[in-house]
Amino acid sequence: MHRVSVLSHARPSSKMLTYRRLLAGQSTTSSRCFSYLFSPVSPSTPVNPLLFEGRSSVRKSTPNSRNNSHRIRTYIGNDNKGVHGVSSSSQGPQAPLSSLASKSDTIHDTIDDTLHDNTHITPHNTHNAHDALKSNNTPDLTTFLSNFSILTNAAVPKQSVEPSPQAFPAHSIPSNPSDDPDALPPSISLTCPTTDVPITTLSGAQSYYETTAYERALSERGLNLSNAFSREDLTSLGPSQAHLVRWFKPLCAAIAKEQQLCHKGVTGTDRSNYGPLLVLLPPQKLAVISTHTALNHILHSGNKTTFTKLCVAVGDAVRAELGVVKVKHENEHGRGTFTDYKMKELLASSGHSANKVRKVNLRASKLLSDADYTWPTHLRAKLGAYLLGAVLSSCVDTHGNPCFMLERHRPTLKKIVGVMSLRGDVFEDLVAGPMGGDVFAVRHLPMVVKPLPWTDPQDGGYLYNRERIMRTHGCTLQSTFLETADMPEVMEGLNCLGETPWRINKEILEVQEEAYRRGLTVGDLPSKVDFPVPTPPDFDGEDTPIGPDGKVDKTSPGYEAFKAKFIKWTREKEAAAKVRQRNAELHSLRCDTTIKLGQAGQFKDYDKIYFPWNVDFRGRAYPIPPNLNHLGSDLCRGVLMFAEEKELGPRGLYWMKVNLANLYGADKRSMDMRAKFVDDNWDDVVKSAEDPLNHLWWNDGDEPWQILACCKELVAAVDSGDPASFKSGLFVSMDGSCNGLQHYAALARDLTGGSAVNLTPMPTPQDVYTGVLHRVLEKIDAEVSRDAGDVTDEELADHGAARDIFGLVDRKVVKQTVMTSVYGVTFIGARQQIMNRLEEKYEAAGRDIYAEEVEKSLWTSSSYLAKLTLSSLDEMFSSATATMQWLGEVAAIVSSQKQPVMWMTPLKLPCVQPYRRKKEKLVKTVVQDILLVDDEDNLPVSTQKQRSAFPPNYIHSLDSSHMLKTAIEMNKRGVCFSAVHDSYWCHPANVDEMNVVLREKFVELYSEPLLEDFLEDLKRRYPGCEFPEVPKKGELDINQIMDSQ
């Protein structure tokens, strides 16, 4: 199904467009609501109230659109709230309309006016502005920016206009603001960056968060500039602000000048490629996008990132911002209107005749006509390269020295890459500062209103930030199948998950903020102190023994001493490099922590926040906000709670105790023993809740922040005197036992494997990792006990490895390999996983892992242990292993036909594996040549990747189907539910009910002939191929799952 992209009139024809307008606090009748704000109004002209309630032009509420008037209201004209839910006055209902006018005499509003989507720049003033931009002797930035004359539908009059009292009927204004479900909480203060008017509604706040990521930064930049230039001093600003403010003006000037050259048709390197993209946004916004994107990547990667990656990222950021501008415009003026509007704006802002700008505008028009702005990668990279080139040349310090560096690095002998970084002292300035919103502009935030319901693959989630229901990563074939797919259950499941309301746990946030402020490394808070970097000894090579042929003379008497010195220098140099890498990773963690704590603080006063969801190409569901969400780290999960509080009931306290034991690591016991674990440690639970930073029992568990949240809630429930009536928003999570192996065992009806992962009733819960460990230890013991004389030369390495690791192997060493076996981990991957754990064991035992003999021991021991672990898994899951191999074989047959593997999930979601042979192509940019990896649909499929990745991808599609089925059923029952793949969350009072639903949906899923149906589909699509039959199933009774623990 293709969406209508052109309308014959301004009114939208889509219920989704109507829903977006209502949430944004806009009228659904037409764009006249903007005429109300911006058309000339005389004092005698009454204001049209454009009342929401009772208007025949407003679409009726439907179950799909969820247009419930108790939550979605617009008050344009009838309660003194204007466009985007901002109040038209902070002084009362009789405030003058002119308070909405922009204040052209301030730098803040002048900057923001240039970014307003309903504006363009007059040609005659553009020349003056660019003249001012080119001048280095312009101290007054306000004068410079005021040369941009902003035109709207008509100029807003300066005279005061009093709205008619009849424009605001008394019945339409809530008697108490707290009675309005769309009212912004009093503790939250937001101001529209383009009007300086306070925002008073949740719908207005949502519009603010989605559409003003760069405007907020630009507004702040403008205010700082105004204040700093008036004092002729930047020293009062923080380090990050001072740098950003200093860079802003010259960068804007460079971009504005380049835009004029594009309009004039002046030829230049690559200008014909990036020019049509460069002119689509104002220079101020492009300056903010390029600096913020560069800083985000550089700071997160420890002060270096590849230039190629950064070029594409900047191009993507421009494309995303243009998409938001388009959605905002078409919400106000109707679909299909943005391209014409933008072309008129480009013509007006160019300042030249139509003939001169015709070529660039035609190309720009073609790019704008792409509904989703799927610009080719090389064009995005060229645009990003120009903007980064402008950053490199324009962002300088007070002495004119560049702050950004572009250097050539040689990762291998045959490869040279460009790496972009900050100059060392600038990097330290930014790191030392309070890296907040000035640097980290984040577009995808949690929502403060319910997400739009998914009604087709392109409509749902955010109001303005356009996302698809699937993250296709540019796979055209996948997108084509989605357009024709009939998958109501997938959409319903995602909608159910998105409707779950959350809130910030303020108590935990306060502890996190205080601990981080004090530099405590509790929970997963990163250290604020870098590891000391060792200094390698000097090595100038002067004592290198050189023979007559000019090469190192290995027969020289001094060769051995030279060799030892060289090896020591090399190893210490490598050790120093590893420490520097650890410090870079540590800095990345600090950046990540700063963003998460900042967002938690930003949303802590909202009663409810929401996470919109979508799926990846396998059907696995993810919340879209990338930083703060319950899929994230323990720090994120610990600070989140369900917004709805529910009484614990008779079993809620019990399940809270079980949950605490699970989080602490005592999850290998029976449920009753887990509850007893909490009772036995009750004193520590109470002390942790009362004084968490001085009593750190909670910090010794597996998930410290969630443990602390649980401790506080448990103590509060017990102290209430009536735990059953205590209302709690804490979630209890129930995790699958190595969920991937559970799905394999169910598919294959593997009784032995199913018992190992708790698919059958057992006296106590089984731990598959411990089961594999026992088998591995038995084999190691048997090898160590062998007489040395019986060991052959071929067995000598394994025998020595068994002795080396005897007593060192525990559950943690084998866990990652067992966990990832379902995802197709190879022997090489398993060996590396085990080597990482053994290195920790060796270091704890005081062994130098950089010593040559220890490195050799690590290699042989890891290889030996990886072999034992994988063979033990095969023994425990024989039927499941056969199923895994069968899936790989059919994938190899399909890919041999030069086709990607495609399948339909049980919820009718079409899945296409995107793996193709990647092809590098050289792209010339204005800065340097870059290599882009091309993996488009016209390239041959990667046979090896298609085969190796299909078994785990297929299993992922099944576990996602199970989770979405559960979400739908829980929603029907009115139970608050969420999940993280194979971890299922609900209120403590609902755990027993959720456990029943989980098992029912699992049995329902695997009662279907999934593999048989998939084989029949393959035979229909590839009639000329011979596919092996489905492996014989085992003896597992799938219905036993209903009685399992």
Side-chain angles (χ1 to χ4, degrees):
M1 179 184 296
H2 296 283
R3 300 194 305 171
V4 177
S5 59
V6 179
L7 298 177
S8 59
H9 50 80
R11 281 184 58 188
S13 61
S14 164
K15 68 173 180 286
M16 191 60 62
L17 186 53
T18 301
Y19 185 77
R20 282 196 177 102
R21 286 188 176 180
L22 291 174
L23 279 181
Q26 300 171 15
S27 169
T28 58
T29 56
S30 72
S31 60
R32 285 179 294 168
C33 59
F34 279 81
S35 300
Y36 163 69
L37 288 179
F38 296 111
S39 296
V41 181
S42 67
S44 60
T45 306
V47 180
N48 187 343
L50 295 173
L51 298 179
F52 167 76
E53 295 177 10
R55 284 290 181 182
S56 60
S57 59
V58 179
R59 292 183 181 273
K60 293 183 179 180
S61 175
T62 63
N64 286 337
S65 65
R66 299 181 312 189
N67 269 351
N68 301 317
S69 61
H70 71 275
R71 190 177 69 82
I72 308 165
R73 292 186 183 178
T74 181
Y75 293 105
I76 299 180
N78 70 337
D79 74 338
N80 205 31
K81 294 177 185 176
V83 177
H84 295 162
V86 299
S87 172
S88 59
S89 172
S90 59
Q91 304 172 359
Q94 298 296 320
L97 183 64
S98 59
S99 63
L100 292 172
S102 61
K103 304 170 186 177
S104 59
D105 57 340
T106 66
I107 182 172
H108 166 61
D109 294 288
T110 308
I111 291 175
D112 289 325
D113 283 345
T114 64
L115 300 180
H116 199 286
D117 300 323
N118 202 32
T119 65
H120 61 263
I121 303 170
T122 53
H124 69 279
N125 279 342
T126 303
H127 298 301
N128 297 335
H130 286 293
D131 290 341
L133 278 167
K134 290 184 283 187
S135 172
N136 293 324
N137 302 315
T138 308
D140 187 356
L141 194 63
T142 304
T143 302
F144 146 69
L145 284 169
S146 66
N147 281 322
F148 286 96
S149 175
I150 308 306
L151 293 185
T152 57
N153 292 340
V156 181
K158 292 295 182 182
Q159 67 270 23
S160 174
V161 179
E162 295 293 336
S164 167
Q166 289 76 22
F168 304 101
H171 73 271
S172 67
I173 305 176
S175 58
N176 184 347
S178 63
D179 294 338
D180 181 6
D182 193 40
L184 202 65
S187 57
I188 298 172
S189 177
L190 298 177
T191 302
C192 179
T194 56
T195 62
D196 262 349
V197 180
I199 295 172
T200 60
T201 64
L202 291 174
S203 49
Q206 183 58 41
S207 175
Y208 169 86
Y209 287 127
E210 284 192 46
T211 62
T212 62
Y214 295 115
E215 282 88 340
R216 295 198 303 273
L218 193 56
S219 172
E220 181 68 22
R221 205 73 48 82
L223 289 173
N224 287 339
L225 278 169
S226 180
N227 296 332
F229 272 97
S230 66
R231 296 188 306 269
E232 298 184 356
D233 177 28
L234 293 179
T235 59
S236 60
L237 302 178
S240 60
Q241 285 187 330
H243 284 299
L244 290 169
V245 167
R246 187 181 295 113
W247 298 338
F248 180 66
K249 178 182 174 181
L251 185 55
C252 285
I255 296 173
K257 180 179 179 181
E258 184 66 19
Q259 287 181 331
Q260 283 299 298
L261 294 175
C262 294
H263 283 303
K264 290 178 181 178
V266 177
T267 59
T269 304
D270 241 8
R271 190 171 286 141
S272 61
N273 287 308
Y274 67 74
L277 301 176
L278 187 69
V279 300
L280 295 177
L281 289 175
Q284 291 85 357
K285 188 171 286 191
L286 290 172
V288 173
I289 290 173
S290 53
T291 52
H292 277 242
T293 305
L295 287 173
N296 283 352
H297 281 73
I298 291 172
L299 290 175
H300 272 94
S301 58
N303 199 24
K304 62 178 180 179
T305 188
T306 60
F307 186 71
T308 300
K309 177 182 178 181
L310 196 51
C311 286
V312 177
V314 172
D316 282 337
V318 173
R319 179 181 62 170
E321 179 62 20
L322 188 65
V324 171
V325 173
K326 176 183 178 181
V327 172
K328 286 175 64 179
H329 178 88
E330 295 194 348
N331 279 358
E332 297 158 7
H333 301 285
R335 289 190 180 178
T337 62
F338 181 67
T339 299
D340 289 343
Y341 156 75
K342 198 67 182 176
M343 298 317 298
K344 292 176 182 177
E345 183 189 67
L346 288 176
L347 183 60
S349 63
S350 65
H352 302 283
S353 68
N355 289 335
K356 286 190 176 182
V357 299
R358 182 174 178 272
K359 186 173 182 181
V360 68
N361 281 3
L362 281 175
R363 293 201 62 192
S365 177
K366 187 175 181 180
L367 292 166
L368 285 170
S369 63
D370 181 354
D372 296 314
Y373 299 151
T374 53
W375 303 335
T377 305
H378 73 278
L379 280 184
R380 285 179 276 141
K382 286 174 181 287
L383 173 63
Y386 164 72
L387 289 171
L388 290 175
V391 168
L392 286 163
S393 60
S394 303
C395 298
V396 298
D397 61 17
T398 53
H399 302 291
N401 300 316
C403 294
F404 288 85
M405 316 293 291
L406 181 61
E407 301 170 318
R408 290 165 34 130
H409 280 222
R410 189 185 293 273
T412 65
L413 289 176
K414 296 183 178 180
K415 188 174 183 179
I416 299 176
V417 298
V419 173
M420 193 164 170
S421 61
L422 286 162
R423 204 176 66 218
D425 59 315
V426 178
F427 177 76
E428 293 301 326
D429 283 345
L430 293 175
V431 170
M435 300 171 295
D438 284 343
V439 177
F440 304 119
V442 180
R443 182 183 297 281
H444 294 99
L445 295 168
M447 299 182 69
V448 296
V449 298
K450 284 187 180 182
L452 297 174
W454 289 105
T455 55
D456 69 53
Q458 299 184 53
D459 269 324
Y462 286 104
L463 275 63
Y464 297 100
N465 288 331
R466 194 170 187 176
E467 296 292 335
R468 292 186 173 189
I469 197 170
M470 179 181 282
R471 307 175 187 190
T472 62
H473 298 290
C475 180
T476 306
L477 189 60
Q478 177 75 79
S479 300
T480 302
F481 285 138
L482 280 175
E483 289 297 327
T484 57
D486 182 20
M487 48 183 184
E489 282 188 282
V490 174
M491 296 181 186
E492 184 181 359
L494 293 176
N495 293 339
C496 292
L497 293 168
E499 289 178 2
T500 298
W502 300 82
R503 67 178 174 88
I504 300 298
N505 188 330
K506 293 183 183 180
E507 282 191 276
I508 299 302
L509 178 60
E510 288 175 3
V511 178
Q512 291 175 342
E513 290 175 333
E514 176 63 16
Y516 197 48
R517 186 188 64 80
R518 289 163 53 179
L520 304 178
T521 54
V522 293
D524 49 357
L525 291 177
S527 171
K528 289 188 173 181
V529 180
D530 283 351
F531 298 103
V533 180
T535 304
D538 292 334
F539 182 77
D540 52 18
E542 290 183 357
D543 54 352
T544 306
I546 304 297
D549 58 355
K551 298 180 180 179
V552 176
D553 184 5
K554 295 183 178 181
T555 62
S556 169
Y559 173 72
E560 291 300 324
F562 160 77
K563 178 182 177 182
K565 183 178 179 181
F566 178 77
I567 290 176
K568 181 180 180 182
W569 174 78
T570 301
R571 294 191 183 284
E572 293 192 16
K573 184 180 177 183
E574 291 175 351
K578 287 185 178 180
V579 174
R580 281 192 291 270
Q581 179 60 34
R582 290 175 69 183
N583 285 337
E585 293 168 355
L586 192 59
H587 176 71
S588 179
L589 289 173
R590 293 181 199 132
C591 293
D592 188 55
T593 301
T594 299
I595 292 175
K596 289 173 178 175
L597 291 179
Q599 289 185 9
Q602 188 176 8
F603 291 94
K604 68 181 180 181
D605 291 325
Y606 285 96
D607 297 328
K608 296 178 181 180
I609 60 175
Y610 301 87
F611 302 117
W613 290 64
N614 63 3
V615 297
D616 64 10
F617 75 91
R618 305 163 298 184
R620 268 203 148 181
Y622 296 85
I624 298 175
N627 305 114
L628 179 65
N629 63 63
H630 69 288
L631 196 73
S633 62
D634 176 54
L635 180 137
C636 290
R637 297 183 186 188
V639 82
L640 287 171
M641 301 181 75
F642 288 136
E644 176 190 353
E645 292 188 338
K646 183 174 287 190
E647 290 185 356
L648 294 182
R651 295 263 292 169
L653 190 69
Y654 171 83
W655 283 117
M656 285 175 69
K657 292 179 179 180
V658 171
N659 187 53
L660 177 53
N662 290 341
L663 295 169
Y664 207 87
D667 54 342
K668 306 303 173 290
R669 316 177 186 195
S670 68
M671 298 296 179
D672 290 342
M673 291 302 295
R674 297 181 208 185
K676 186 176 183 300
F677 167 83
V678 175
D679 293 335
D680 293 342
N681 291 277
W682 185 250
D683 286 345
D684 288 316
V685 171
V686 174
K687 291 176 182 177
S688 295
E690 293 176 346
D691 191 7
L693 294 183
N694 287 318
H695 190 83
L696 295 172
W697 174 83
W698 59 275
N699 192 49
D700 296 330
D702 291 348
E703 307 288 349
W705 292 116
Q706 294 176 75
I707 292 171
L708 181 58
C710 200
C711 286
K712 286 181 173 291
E713 203 75 355
L714 265 172
V715 171
V718 172
D719 288 351
S720 71
D722 183 11
S725 300
F726 180 80
K727 290 186 175 182
S728 173
L730 189 77
F731 55 80
V732 170
S733 59
M734 304 300 290
D735 297 352
S737 301
C738 202
N739 190 245
L741 288 173
Q742 286 183 327
H743 285 279
Y744 268 123
L747 269 177
R749 301 295 193 271
D750 190 330
L751 180 59
T752 304
S755 299
V757 289
N758 297 305
L759 293 186
T760 60
M762 301 290 283
T764 58
Q766 300 298 294
D767 178 38
V768 64
Y769 309 112
T770 303
V772 173
L773 173 65
H774 287 160
R775 288 179 180 250
V776 169
L777 291 178
E778 288 175 2
K779 295 175 182 179
I780 292 175
D781 291 344
E783 185 63 42
V784 170
S785 63
R786 291 179 62 188
D787 189 280
D790 297 334
V791 179
T792 64
D793 292 342
E794 291 78 11
E795 299 170 333
L796 193 59
D798 286 351
H799 186 71
R803 290 187 173 277
D804 276 347
I805 60 177
F806 185 76
L808 294 179
V809 181
D810 57 17
R811 181 177 179 272
K812 185 178 180 181
V813 174
V814 301
K815 180 178 178 178
Q816 188 179 11
T817 301
V818 175
M819 189 186 305
T820 56
S821 63
V822 67
Y823 308 132
V825 66
T826 62
F827 172 77
I828 294 174
R831 180 179 61 198
Q832 186 59 52
Q833 292 169 349
I834 290 172
M835 184 182 293
N836 294 339
R837 302 288 78 79
L838 288 180
E839 282 183 355
E840 296 170 359
K841 297 286 186 181
Y842 278 34
E843 285 185 318
R847 300 179 69 177
D848 181 8
I849 62 173
Y850 298 109
E852 187 173 0
E853 66 278 4
V854 177
E855 282 191 338
K856 186 180 295 184
S857 170
L858 273 171
W859 179 265
T860 55
S861 299
S862 301
S863 300
Y864 171 67
L865 192 52
K867 182 171 60 176
L868 293 188
T869 304
L870 293 176
S871 63
S872 297
L873 271 168
D874 288 344
E875 294 165 6
M876 289 181 66
F877 294 89
S878 56
S879 297
T881 301
T883 300
M884 187 187 304
Q885 293 172 347
W886 180 82
L887 290 171
E889 289 174 11
V890 297
I893 294 172
V894 171
S895 59
S896 70
Q897 303 301 302
K898 301 180 180 180
Q899 294 292 324
V901 180
M902 296 175 282
W903 73 101
M904 192 79 73
T905 73
L907 300 187
K908 308 305 179 187
L909 176 72
C911 299
V912 180
Q913 290 200 143
Y915 313 116
R916 296 181 180 272
R917 295 180 194 171
K918 294 182 179 180
K919 179 183 177 183
E920 289 186 337
K921 60 181 179 183
L922 187 68
V923 176
K924 295 183 178 294
T925 73
V926 292
V927 179
Q928 68 169 50
D929 292 350
I930 60 176
L931 275 177
L932 291 179
V933 177
D934 188 359
D935 57 357
E936 296 175 355
D937 287 354
N938 58 350
L939 295 174
V941 298
S942 171
T943 304
Q944 180 179 359
K945 186 66 175 175
Q946 288 283 340
R947 173 173 183 161
S948 63
F950 178 59
N953 286 341
Y954 182 73
I955 294 299
H956 282 317
S957 72
L958 297 181
D959 73 36
S960 175
S961 297
H962 173 234
M963 189 269 279
L964 292 175
K965 277 176 171 284
T966 303
I968 294 170
E969 179 61 27
M970 295 291 278
N971 183 263
K972 289 178 180 177
R973 295 176 179 227
V975 177
C976 192
F977 173 83
S978 194
V980 179
H981 303 321
D982 60 348
S983 179
Y984 313 98
W985 301 12
C986 70
H987 284 93
N990 300 121
V991 173
D992 291 302
E993 183 177 7
M994 182 180 72
N995 285 337
V996 172
V997 173
L998 284 169
R999 285 158 176 77
E1000 287 177 349
K1001 294 303 169 182
F1002 196 88
V1003 172
E1004 178 184 306
L1005 179 67
Y1006 285 102
S1007 296
E1008 299 295 324
L1010 300 177
L1011 294 180
E1012 290 78 8
D1013 288 349
F1014 175 53
L1015 179 59
E1016 289 303 313
D1017 182 55
L1018 289 175
K1019 289 179 177 178
R1020 281 194 300 271
R1021 286 191 284 122
Y1022 304 100
C1025 296
E1026 291 288 335
F1027 292 98
E1029 292 300 315
V1030 174
K1032 183 180 178 181
K1033 295 188 183 298
E1035 300 176 354
L1036 174 67
D1037 180 1
I1038 202 72
N1039 292 301
Q1040 284 186 301
I1041 294 171
M1042 294 302 302
D1043 300 319
S1044 65
Q1045 288 201 42

